Amino acid sequence: VEDDPEPASTDMKEQGRTVDCEPSSANQMQILTTDVSWAYFSAKTSPDAPIYVEVPTGMHAKPGTCGLLKRHMYGTRRAAEGWQDEYSGTLVSLGFTQGVASACVFNHPDRGIAVSVHGDDFTTIGSKKDLDWFRGYLETKYELKESARLGAGTCDDKEGRVLNRVIRWLPGGLS
C-alpha cells in the first residue's frame, strides 16, 4: 500500500452529503450533560433497613403477599438516599473527592473533572479525553442518555439544558 502524501480532508462524504466538522481536541474543555435511566433501580437496598412492597395482582401470588426489594424502586421513601449512596460510592471508587459543603458535587484531582449531580442528572466539566473516560466507565454500570456535549469544536453542541435552564457555549464564555 502506497503512503498518501496528502492529509485527509476534514470534508467527508457521508450518504451523499458533505460534512465539514472539526472535532474538539483531546485536551479541549467540554461540558457533558447526562441522564441515568432507571437510576433508583441501580441502587441496592440495605439488609439493615429492609423494604417490603405489596406484590401487584397478576404476579401469581396470593392477595396481600409482600415482597422484599433487593433494589430501590421509584416511590419508596429511601430510594433517593439509596441512589445517592450508589453514585457517591461509584465516583469515590473512581478517585473523585466528594464535596464537604455539598455532597452532590465531586472533583477528580488527577483528571481535573468536576461533577454536579442532581437526582439522576450529571453535569460534568473536563477535557474531552477525560469526559470520554468518565462516560465510558459510567456506561459499564448504568444506562446513560447524553443530553449535550458543549465545547469549542465545530462538531460540539453549542446549547444544552441543565435543570431546565439553557446554557450556551459562546466564543467569549458561557451564557
Side-chain angles (χ1 to χ4, degrees):
V1 175
E2 225 176 281
D3 286 20
D4 187 0
E6 303 256 341
S9 168
T10 56
D11 290 341
M12 301 175 290
K13 290 286 186 186
E14 191 175 68
Q15 298 177 1
R17 64 176 191 237
T18 301
V19 178
D20 188 10
C21 183
E22 183 184 324
S24 287
S25 71
N27 293 320
Q28 270 187 311
M29 295 302 282
Q30 293 183 326
I31 297 173
L32 173 65
T33 59
T34 52
D35 174 81
V36 176
S37 301
W38 309 100
Y40 291 168
F41 293 116
S42 299
K44 293 179 182 175
T45 58
S46 169
D48 299 332
I51 302 171
Y52 294 93
V53 294
E54 187 174 341
V55 176
T57 56
M59 295 291 294
H60 306 293
K62 294 179 182 176
T65 301
C66 290
L68 174 65
L69 291 180
K70 292 183 178 181
R71 297 202 175 258
H72 285 279
M73 187 171 83
Y74 288 86
T76 57
R77 288 187 179 135
R78 291 188 293 267
E81 179 185 355
W83 169 238
Q84 184 174 5
D85 291 345
E86 165 64 26
Y87 75 72
S88 295
T90 297
L91 294 178
V92 168
S93 75
L94 281 174
F96 284 86
T97 304
Q98 192 168 15
V100 176
S102 178
C104 60
V105 175
F106 297 82
N107 178 50
H108 197 293
D110 298 332
R111 292 187 176 264
I113 302 173
V115 182
S116 173
V117 183
H118 185 272
D120 58 4
D121 297 322
F122 286 64
T123 304
T124 312
I125 187 167
S127 70
K128 179 187 181 320
K129 70 176 180 175
D130 289 329
L131 293 183
D132 289 344
W133 166 81
F134 180 64
R135 181 185 171 154
Y137 183 80
L138 288 184
E139 285 178 324
T140 66
K141 291 195 60 117
Y142 313 118
E143 183 180 328
L144 296 182
K145 293 179 192 170
E146 184 173 306
S147 310
R149 190 183 278 235
L150 284 70
T154 57
C155 295
D156 297 336
D157 295 321
K158 301 299 177 218
E159 184 175 289
R161 288 189 174 273
V162 175
L163 301 178
N164 239 2
R165 293 184 180 226
V166 176
I167 56 172
R168 292 181 180 88
W169 188 284
L170 302 170
L174 295 175
S175 136

